[in-house]
Amino acid sequence: MADPNSADMSSGVKRNALSVLMASAKKPKPGPIETLHKSTQGSYSFRDALAPLIQNPDNFVKSGEVMKYTEDYVLIHDKYPKASVHLLILPRESTRTRLHPFQALCPHVSKITGTKDFYDRMSEIVRECEDVAIRELKDLYKKTFTAEDLKVGVHSAPSMSNLHIHVISVDNYSEKLKNKKHYNTFNTPFFVSFDELGTMTREDARIKGGPMYCAQIASNNDLICWRCEKNFQNQFKKLKDHLEEEFILWKREKAGI
Amino acid sequence: MADPNSADMSSGVKRNALSVLMASAKKPKPGPIETLHKSTQGSYSFRDALAPLIQNPDNFVKSGEVMKYTEDYVLIHDKYPKASVHLLILPRESTRTRLHPFQALCPHVSKITGTKDFYDRMSEIVRECEDVAIRELKDLYKKTFTAEDLKVGVHSAPSMSNLHIHVISVDNYSEKLKNKKHYNTFNTPFFVSFDELGTMTREDARIKGGPMYCAQIASNNDLICWRCEKNFQNQFKKLKDHLEEEFILWKREKAGI
DNA sequence: CCCTG
DNA sequence: TATCGGAATCAGGG
DNA sequence: CCCTG
DNA sequence: TATCGGAATCAGGG
Ligand SMILES: Nc1ncnc2c1ncn2[C@@H]1O[C@H](COP(=O)(O)O)[C@@H](O)[C@H]1O
Ligand SMILES: Nc1ncnc2c1ncn2[C@@H]1O[C@H](COP(=O)(O)O)[C@@H](O)[C@H]1O
């Protein structure tokens, strides 16, 4: 895109929408909504990188990748954490792991049965995993944190095929946060909180899952500090520097343990 | 610019034109046409880098920068040659050196008197300098070259303030050729040949000297091989590799000395 | 998703 | 990822 | 114009 | 600037 700030916004959007639609016409890429990344032909791809963790979590306990697991889920450290604490909840249910998160988790959206029950069970798990993340923050910084310091939810257009729920601290302080899209996927409506999933309607899902909505939101939005709301436009480097300052202030304001 | 190949060309052009006009409204940058880079406030800038060579050519003979000079002109090696031979003719006439080349050189465009005479005198000098360039090619490659292997002319929006005429071999084979604009300033109508200058009308000059025409042409045009006309779009690196092949073929077809 | 050019 | 500041965007491929 | 980020 | 291939675009500053 060019001149995001200049002149005719509608024309810019239009061109962008067009190219997005054409792109999705060509290749069945991340394909928002419905079943994710149709796994035709057994050829493995980077999109399946989470599968081994679900299949055989025990293999990844020693390395620290897997923090805990039950019959129902695996809790892991995100391999490329976009904040000082960044965990992923991987539900193990084979009928849902390949579904788009809206289909797998939203009671009012899903076309398969039992989704309300599944969502409620996941709510319990989410609470447990939040506690793990909060403890991790406490151990790291010797301060008191709460669920308010976390975001829990999914990306409206995931790149990884296996169902996963992000549990991420709000700071976004991480060397793996390397570009604008990284930041915006957690700080725009591209990120859909677990709570939202519970109430989302099919119309909501249709819009948020739409290809051009997804493509637009993560890279076409200005960079806004999560804490002070300062606008950094496209200046990612400056945002990064700023995030360090906010990180320090954020920790400082927490009560000691 | 975005999606140069896609959708609505005219809208692209329009946006671009707008931004160009706004830019020129802000700062009196290279200001196409008329007197170049109004030298208000004696603050020197990179635009004046050719001035010392005109003022005191003798200082630059030993270093090889100046090849020859007379009362009327200085012939130098371009410091950042965009081809295997790239010379600049610097007319020394003080009343013209700060003018836009169209004003300084075009008999039908210039608003000052004596331009026809000046152009005719420069024609003689151009012929002499072409001979120097041809000899340089011969010495380099031990082959026979002609004026057909050279381009002589000016940029429609020069960056350097002092009047200068490029004498450049057609090959564009040089490590200093580093981007699309470099190539296109010698291979699109942005480059105005010395012959054209002799016949150009004021209307021609108005168009070619217009800010958006200049901005457009050098960076919005596809990269086309000067020799085989293959289109490389924006793939400068591939053009560079190709230019090496063409360079070899070009030399090879020349008669031995 | 990531990395590299 | 201090100490003044000094990249963003995108195609290709795994 | 050039270089750097 | 070989030998298979692997950047383009842009703002800022001198
Ligand atoms: N092999 C891996 N192990 C753990 N996490 C991963 C791995 N590969 C990618 N990720 C993370 O998975 C997440 C997928 O993001 P998304 O599909 O956009 O929801 C990203 O945060 C990645 O950092
Ligand atoms: N100090 C210099 N000595 C010699 N040539 C130069 C110097 N600085 C820039 N140039 C060349 O001057 C030319 C000016 O181009 P333009 O103003 O676009 O016609 C370019 O080809 C530069 O490589």
Side-chain angles (χ1 to χ4, degrees), chain B residues 46 49-50 53 65 76-82 86 88 154-155 157-161 164 166 185-186 190:
Chain B
F46 66 86
L50 303 178
L53 294 150
E65 288 172 81
I76 68 170
H77 279 115
D78 192 291
K79 189 174 181 181
Y80 310 95
K82 306 306 188 302
H86 187 178
L88 297 178
V154 302
H155 286 162
S159 288
M160 291 297 156
S161 294
H164 55 279
H166 296 269
T185 55
F186 290 102
F190 187 91

Side-chain angles (χ1 to χ4, degrees), chain A residues 148-149 151 169-173 183 186-187 223-230 232 239 242-251 253-254:
Chain A
E148 295 292 305
D149 299 308
K151 283 183 291 197
S169 57
V170 292
D171 54 273
N172 279 121
Y173 183 72
Y183 185 78
F186 290 101
N187 292 280
L223 293 163
I224 310 286
C225 174
W226 63 273
R227 194 160 181 275
C228 75
E229 296 185 304
K230 179 170 173 183
F232 290 84
L239 170 67
H242 179 75
L243 286 179
E244 180 169 14
E245 297 174 28
E246 293 289 17
F247 174 63
I248 293 168
L249 297 175
W250 173 69
K251 284 182 301 181
E253 81 179 6
K254 301 301 175 189

Side-chain angles (χ1 to χ4, degrees), chain A residues 180-233:
Chain A
K180 181 177 180 176
K181 189 185 176 191
H182 284 164
Y183 185 78
N184 276 350
T185 57
F186 290 101
N187 292 280
T188 67
F190 187 90
F191 187 83
V192 181
S193 77
F194 185 77
D195 287 347
E196 283 178 82
L197 293 173
T199 60
M200 201 178 299
T201 67
R202 287 201 176 179
E203 179 61 7
D204 294 335
R206 196 183 59 75
I207 295 173
K208 277 181 176 290
M212 68 181 172
Y213 183 88
C214 290
Q216 191 73 12
I217 206 135
S219 33
N220 263 26
N221 275 11
D222 282 356
L223 293 163
I224 310 286
C225 174
W226 63 273
R227 194 160 181 275
C228 75
E229 296 185 304
K230 179 170 173 183
N231 187 325
F232 290 84
Q233 299 177 77

Side-chain angles (χ1 to χ4, degrees), chain B residues 213-236:
Chain B
Y213 183 87
C214 290
Q216 190 72 13
I217 206 138
S219 32
N220 263 24
N221 275 11
D222 282 355
L223 293 163
I224 310 286
C225 174
W226 63 273
R227 194 160 182 273
C228 74
E229 296 185 306
K230 178 169 173 182
N231 187 325
F232 289 83
Q233 299 177 76
N234 291 352
Q235 297 172 108
F236 178 75

Side-chain angles (χ1 to χ4, degrees), chain A residues 77-83 86 160 174 176-178 182:
Chain A
H77 280 116
D78 192 293
K79 190 174 181 181
Y80 309 96
K82 305 307 189 301
H86 188 178
M160 291 298 156
S174 165
K176 297 299 184 181
L177 188 90
K178 295 188 176 176
H182 284 164

